[in-house]
Amino acid sequence: MKRKLMVLAAMLLIVSTALFAVDFKAVIGQDTSAGLQFSKTAPKGDVQTKFLFNIDAELDMDFNNGHGMLVEVNPFSEGSSVEFGLGVGYAYQDWLSSSTSMILGVGPKFTFGSGGVGFEIFATIDFDFHVSSSMFVRVGTGLRFDMGEFGDNNFGKTFEIDIPLPHLGIGWEF
C-alpha cells in the first residue's frame, strides 16, 4: 500500500510541475548499460560485472532559460523479476548550434520490484540532433550510483556503479 501511495504522490508532483513548463521534449529509446558492483562485505578485490539492455522513456520540461526537470520511466527485466524505474531530477538544456542541443540531468531514481524499492542517483549528458523543427535524435550517456533496496538488510552494504553505454533514442519537441 505504501508503494502505491508513493507512486501516486510522485505522479501528482510530476503533473503539477508540468503545468508550469514552457517547452517539452519526449524521447523513447534503448538504454544499454554495463555495470560494476562493489561490496563492502565481500573480500577485497571482489568486483562483479553485469550487462543490461532495456527500453527507456524520458520527458524533459524546460521552465525558464534552459532550467527545468526530467522524468524518466524505465520498465526492465533483471534476472527473473520485472522491475519498474522512475527517476525525477533537475535538467539543464543549452543550445550548441542551431540544430544541436545538450541536456545535463541529475537526480534520484526509484526502482519498484518484487524485492522492494531500490534507490539510485543518476547523472546524464545527452545530445539532441534536430532533424526537423519538432523531431530529433538523442545520443547520450552518464553514470548511475545504485545504493540498494529499502527494507533490505543489505541496504548500503553494496554499492553499484553503472556506466551506461551510449544510448540512442528518437524524440519530439512540443
Side-chain angles (χ1 to χ4, degrees):
M1 185 65 169
K2 286 184 181 180
R3 198 178 309 175
K4 290 179 183 179
L5 288 173
M6 221 165 95
V7 171
L8 180 63
M11 296 304 255
L12 288 173
L13 177 68
I14 292 166
V15 170
S16 64
T17 55
L19 296 174
F20 298 104
V22 176
D23 189 22
F24 290 95
K25 284 186 173 183
V27 183
I28 295 179
Q30 59 80 21
D31 185 19
T32 308
S33 63
L36 297 175
Q37 183 175 12
F38 302 93
S39 177
K40 292 181 186 176
T41 58
K44 266 190 157 177
D46 186 21
V47 177
Q48 297 176 350
T49 60
K50 76 173 189 175
F51 184 77
L52 184 65
F53 178 83
N54 54 34
I55 301 298
D56 185 50
E58 185 175 313
L59 177 66
D60 300 325
M61 295 169 266
D62 185 4
F63 299 123
N64 190 12
N65 297 327
H67 299 279
M69 71 182 286
L70 63 86
V71 178
E72 180 184 82
V73 177
N74 183 244
F76 63 95
S77 175
E78 187 172 350
S80 62
S81 68
V82 175
E83 300 184 8
F84 176 80
L86 176 65
V88 179
Y90 170 77
Y92 177 74
Q93 175 178 309
D94 195 11
W95 286 89
L96 303 176
S97 72
S98 61
S99 63
T100 306
S101 63
M102 173 186 70
I103 297 178
L104 301 171
V106 65
K109 182 177 179 181
F110 297 93
T111 305
F112 304 94
S114 59
V117 179
F119 177 73
E120 66 182 52
I121 304 223
F122 66 87
T124 60
I125 181 167
D126 296 313
F127 296 94
D128 294 342
F129 300 98
H130 294 260
V131 294
S132 72
S133 62
S134 63
M135 191 170 118
F136 59 90
V137 174
R138 175 170 286 180
V139 178
T141 189
L143 286 173
R144 289 188 215 125
F145 304 100
D146 190 352
M147 307 299 180
E149 292 184 354
F150 293 113
D152 186 2
N153 291 336
N154 292 325
F155 184 75
K157 293 182 182 174
T158 60
F159 181 71
E160 189 174 319
I161 300 173
D162 285 329
I163 304 166
L165 301 173
H167 59 265
L168 184 64
I170 187 162
W172 293 269
E173 187 170 359
F174 49 96

